[in-house]
Amino acid sequence: IQGDFNGFPNWDFGDTTVTTDTSIDTMPCYTYPGAGTYEVVLSNLTTFCPYQDVVKTITINDDIQIDPIADQIICLNDTSYLSASSPNINISFVWCNLAGDTLALGPDYQQAVTEDFMVVVKAEDPNGCTDMDTVTVEVFTFEVEDNVPMVFCLEEETEVSIEVNGTQEGYSFNWGPDDCVVSGGNTANPILLTGQGKEYAVTITYDSLGCQFVQTYDVSTTFFTVELDAVDEDGIDTDTINKTEE
């Protein structure tokens, strides 16, 4: 109550679930048990110069909430599609970055993914009640570990192996060029044949998302020559034998 008045105020907060929803304080506080429409009546307990009853209808909304939105892991350069919803009705949505700048209006938002980012969605009902949620979108990364030699013996078959993010499971592999793949070209453990000036490449696909990554290897080769001077049983030198390890 603001201003001067005569008598004693009597508040009835219109909560029909209890009989203790009254107060004679000038500025009382009352907590309602739930959402609904309530009629609040302020009356005077005395009849000496009483003021007229004051009646006001108030509406208590349900707690507004946004349905949970899952964080995303997505392939580089793909588009992230996000959608907000709420069990409440007549909800408006605003999408913002962490700095508070508005990115989009409405329940849906999309963004091309070139790096990790976070986005905030805010919900508001017609009475100004709000809720918000933050969604994280991360780019899927390929952490490649391998035992590919830095130097190969020329034209010698060599088995190599590769792991992605600590495993070979859940990934597909395609090795090339074809003329350098002896076997296992679609596995993580191929046998490769080296050639001078060749470059290996393996295309790795993360099966569940379809993300792809290409790992290349510049092939360095080496060889050595063995020269043998042989003497036969009669003590005569034979021809020098040259042998190249391949």
Side-chain angles (χ1 to χ4, degrees):
I1 300 175
Q2 294 180 344
D4 297 329
F5 61 92
N6 295 316
F8 299 96
N10 181 56
W11 293 89
D12 186 335
F13 294 99
D15 182 359
T16 58
T17 63
V18 295
T19 59
T20 57
D21 61 329
T22 60
S23 175
I24 59 173
D25 292 337
T26 302
M27 301 179 62
C29 180
Y30 185 76
T31 301
Y32 287 94
T37 300
Y38 302 90
E39 187 175 84
V40 180
V41 179
L42 173 60
S43 59
N44 199 325
L45 292 178
T46 68
T47 58
F48 178 74
C49 295
Y51 50 78
Q52 293 183 339
D53 290 353
V54 178
V55 180
K56 187 174 181 63
T57 300
I58 64 171
T59 299
I60 306 296
N61 289 333
D62 286 319
D63 287 338
I64 179 175
Q65 64 183 53
I66 300 173
D67 293 326
I69 304 174
D71 294 337
Q72 290 186 350
I73 299 177
I74 197 167
C75 302
L76 181 66
N77 296 322
D78 278 0
T79 298
S80 172
Y81 296 93
L82 300 172
S83 184
S85 60
S86 172
N88 307 93
I89 61 174
N90 299 323
I91 303 301
S92 60
F93 296 95
V94 179
W95 297 86
C96 304
N97 59 24
L98 295 182
D101 302 319
T102 298
L103 302 174
L105 302 177
D108 300 319
Y109 176 69
Q110 66 183 59
Q111 179 175 324
V113 180
T114 58
E115 60 183 0
D116 297 348
F117 69 92
M118 299 175 70
V119 64
V120 177
V121 58
K122 300 177 181 179
E124 184 174 346
D125 70 8
N127 298 300
C129 298
T130 62
D131 189 24
M132 63 186 297
D133 191 13
T134 301
V135 185
T136 300
V137 178
E138 296 181 346
V139 176
F140 182 81
T141 57
F142 291 81
E143 298 292 338
V144 178
E145 296 183 0
D146 58 60
N147 73 340
V148 179
M150 296 182 64
V151 178
F152 290 79
C153 293
L154 183 63
E155 297 184 1
E156 180 175 292
E157 296 182 2
T158 303
E159 182 177 4
V160 302
S161 66
I162 191 170
E163 288 188 349
V164 184
N165 298 332
T167 183
Q168 296 179 345
E169 299 296 325
Y171 297 90
S172 299
F173 304 88
N174 186 23
W175 291 83
D178 291 341
D179 60 344
C180 288
V181 179
V182 178
S183 63
N186 60 350
T187 72
N189 306 283
I191 296 177
L192 305 178
L193 181 66
T194 61
Q196 190 69 33
K198 292 289 187 178
E199 180 184 75
Y200 294 142
V202 55
T203 300
I204 308 168
T205 303
Y206 181 44
D207 296 333
S208 64
L209 292 179
C211 306
Q212 288 192 331
F213 176 77
V214 178
Q215 179 86 343
T216 59
Y217 301 92
D218 291 325
V219 178
S220 297
T221 59
T222 188
F223 65 92
F224 59 90
T225 299
V226 177
E227 294 184 355
L228 296 176
D229 288 331
V231 178
D232 64 16
E233 60 183 5
D234 296 323
I236 301 174
D237 290 342
T238 61
D239 293 334
T240 298
I241 302 172
N242 295 319
K243 180 181 179 182
T244 300
E245 287 293 335
E246 300 177 346

